Amino acid sequence: RFWCLMRRDKSKHEAPMKHLIIAAAFALSSTVIFSSPAAAQEDAFARGVSADERGDYVEAAKWYRMVAEQGNAIAQHNLGVMYSKGEGVPENDAEGVKWYRRAAEQGYAYAQLALGTMYAKGEGVPEDYVQAYKWWNLSAAQGNENAIANKEMLRKRMTPEQIAEAQKLSAEWKPVSER
């Protein structure tokens, strides 16, 4: 059984793998004066987190989508989780994969783990061990323990040629910001 934590990341996203806790007062504030688009995005994400923590998944999905559409990798990942679980949105693995991919392409390790899991299980995409291994390899390179474990389990099901292809794809991969 492959490991994938299907939970939403509720931390602030400055850059991949650099997270800060959002101040509770800011998350609950409804009178923030927006001094920049970044502040507006931060507030929308905080509102999504607040709704998520209250269990109001429809409201959380609305705010996460707003930020995800602006390119925020954590919000994209969170929306992917919501589609995978059917929380606040209709369950739809293909839509979950779409959002995981957007975040994974930015180098977000949790989304790479989730996308690899979708490929390994054939959920929302055709089952593809080479792609699963590639995404887990990229996530593992960032220290994701679940990706490391998944990769080792998957190796037992793959041919040496498949492993070589997956490693080649991993080595050639670049985040969308570097293409």
Side-chain angles (χ1 to χ4, degrees), residues 87-115:
E87 292 180 340
V89 294
E91 187 172 334
N92 183 330
D93 288 335
E95 190 69 12
V97 165
K98 174 181 105 174
W99 290 106
Y100 289 143
R101 184 179 312 283
R102 288 183 181 185
E105 290 286 349
Q106 292 184 64
Y108 188 60
Y110 292 118
Q112 291 170 336
L113 171 67
L115 186 55

Side-chain angles (χ1 to χ4, degrees), residues 21-47:
I21 297 175
I22 297 173
F26 184 75
L28 299 174
S29 173
S30 61
T31 60
V32 174
I33 298 173
F34 301 119
S35 59
S36 70
Q41 188 180 91
E42 191 171 292
D43 182 61
F45 185 80
R47 289 172 186 257

Side-chain angles (χ1 to χ4, degrees), residues 12-155:
K12 182 177 171 183
H13 183 256
E14 295 293 334
M17 300 310 296
K18 290 185 181 177
H19 308 283
L20 300 172
I21 297 175
I22 297 173
F26 184 75
L28 299 174
S29 173
S30 61
T31 60
V32 174
I33 298 173
F34 301 119
S35 59
S36 70
Q41 188 180 91
E42 191 171 292
D43 182 61
F45 185 80
R47 289 172 186 257
V49 169
S50 179
D52 202 349
E53 289 173 344
R54 290 191 316 270
D56 185 350
Y57 300 129
V58 171
E59 185 74 4
K62 175 184 90 171
W63 291 107
Y64 288 148
R65 180 180 310 281
M66 184 182 301
V67 181
E69 288 173 348
Q70 295 174 31
N72 182 289
I74 293 177
Q76 291 168 340
H77 171 260
N78 290 356
L79 203 49
V81 172
M82 295 184 93
Y83 275 106
S84 292
K85 290 182 161 186
E87 292 180 340
V89 294
E91 187 172 334
N92 183 330
D93 288 335
E95 190 69 12
V97 165
K98 174 181 105 174
W99 290 106
Y100 289 143
R101 184 179 312 283
R102 288 183 181 185
E105 290 286 349
Q106 292 184 64
Y108 188 60
Y110 292 118
Q112 291 170 336
L113 171 67
L115 186 55
T117 301
M118 300 301 270
Y119 273 111
K121 293 180 173 182
E123 294 177 353
V125 290
E127 185 178 273
D128 185 334
Y129 287 170
V130 170
Q131 285 296 313
Y133 190 97
K134 174 187 97 173
W135 289 111
W136 287 339
N137 202 35
L138 292 167
S139 184
Q142 295 183 61
N144 188 301
E145 296 292 328
N146 289 329
I148 293 167
N150 286 353
K151 219 173 67 159
E152 292 312 309
M153 284 189 285
L154 189 58
R155 286 179 74 90

